[in-house]
Amino acid sequence: MAGQVLAMPLEGEGMAQVLRVVLRHPGRLNAMSRAMWRELRSVFESAQRRQDLRCVLIEGDGEAFCAGGDISEYPAFRFTPEGLAAFHDGEVWPALQAMLDCDVPLVAHIRGACMGAGVEIASCCDLRLAADDARFGAPIAKLGFPMAPREAALVARAVGDMKVRQMLLEAAVFSAGEMAQAGFLSRVLPAAELAADVLATVRRVARLAPGAARLNKRTLRALGQGAVDDPVLREPYAYADSAEHHEGITAFLDKRAPRF
């Protein structure tokens, strides 16, 4: 079985506008196969087109987030530059880029192993919540190859220069507490409490102004890329007369909850 990336509405009251994305590869700790990378891209390109979405939750099936890539597939393509290019530039990066391009807030629910590909996927998320027994790393030096350049840049931005050097140069594996101290994680909780906190976080995000969330993500993306000509930076106050803006201010003055 090549594994799957499943997308479904999140069950629960008030969750109709939340998409749940599950990395599922039984027996492989949800390691990413080539098929799964293609599916991940499709899921997030579809999510970007949905104007009703307010939040995306991504998690692994079972007790792991994602243990890396599916190494059983590697001999079939890794030993030529062309094969590596087709994999990294044609499958892995387009999936990660689709996540980075998604204007909907992304929340990562991390349990167990979060290695290699798992760290890359988590690095694309806006909020990252982890169990205190989660473990993080990219020990690919043990497999004899480096991290692809764009993927390395992504992880370095998210985890910091020293952490990524330790991951790649000494195959270091870090605890959730250490990753929180590095600024990679939003919160770390006991494993038994994590799911409830993730659900509460998703609910908070989904109840807030969805247009403002999308604008915040576009603004942060444009600033990070130095894209001074991006419309969100050239016309930063174009939202002034939006219904959402009016409702937020009016609700505050009326001392009631806003209806976004």
Side-chain angles (χ1 to χ4, degrees):
M1 182 177 180
Q4 296 174 286
V5 177
L6 306 174
M8 65 206 81
L10 183 62
E11 295 181 1
E13 184 179 354
M15 295 298 186
Q17 294 166 305
V18 177
L19 181 67
R20 181 182 178 222
V21 177
V22 180
L23 309 175
R24 185 173 189 271
H25 200 163
R28 301 285 175 88
L29 297 177
N30 306 320
M32 292 292 289
S33 66
R34 299 186 76 170
M36 290 173 72
W37 283 116
R38 294 190 293 270
E39 290 175 0
L40 188 68
R41 176 184 182 179
S42 178
V43 164
F44 278 94
E45 287 179 343
S46 176
Q48 174 67 355
R49 292 191 294 267
R50 286 184 54 182
Q51 293 304 307
D52 63 308
L53 277 186
R54 298 191 174 204
C55 186
V56 177
L57 171 65
I58 184 164
E59 61 186 329
D61 183 49
E63 298 305 313
F65 183 70
C66 170
D70 184 356
I71 300 171
S72 70
E73 294 183 334
Y74 286 5
F77 67 88
R78 287 207 66 96
F79 301 128
T80 67
E82 296 78 14
L84 287 173
F87 174 60
H88 287 286
D89 298 339
E91 294 173 346
V92 176
W93 187 254
L96 297 173
Q97 188 68 66
M99 294 185 70
L100 293 170
D101 288 343
C102 187
D103 293 331
V104 181
L106 310 183
V107 177
H109 177 183
I110 303 171
R111 295 163 294 180
C114 182
M115 300 288 170
V119 174
E120 294 178 6
I121 290 168
S123 293
C124 296
C125 296
D126 302 294
L127 302 174
R128 296 179 280 264
L129 289 76
D132 57 5
D133 59 358
R135 292 294 180 268
F136 302 80
I140 53 177
K142 295 180 179 180
L143 298 174
F145 61 86
M147 186 173 281
R150 285 186 290 189
E151 296 161 46
L154 168 67
V155 174
R157 287 194 299 271
V159 310
D161 182 74
M162 184 52 64
K163 277 287 181 288
V164 77
R165 288 176 186 271
Q166 290 178 275
M167 286 182 180
L168 296 178
L169 300 182
E170 60 173 317
V173 173
F174 296 102
S175 68
E178 290 171 309
M179 294 299 281
Q181 289 179 346
F184 183 71
L185 298 175
S186 310
R187 282 191 299 285
V188 176
L189 293 102
E193 300 173 15
L194 180 62
D197 194 77
V198 167
L199 192 63
T201 299
V202 168
R203 182 172 283 114
R204 283 195 299 273
V205 171
R207 286 175 176 170
L208 296 172
R214 289 171 182 257
L215 283 173
N216 279 326
K217 287 203 63 174
R218 291 171 190 161
T219 298
L220 292 170
R221 184 187 306 130
L223 290 170
Q225 296 172 347
V228 294
D229 290 329
D230 192 295
V232 77
L233 299 183
R234 284 192 289 105
E235 301 175 5
Y237 310 118
Y239 68 87
D241 197 36
S242 69
E244 186 175 285
H245 191 199
H246 281 283
E247 169 62 11
I249 300 298
T250 299
F252 181 86
L253 295 174
D254 290 348
K255 295 181 173 57
R256 60 174 175 83
R259 295 183 289 270
F260 294 125

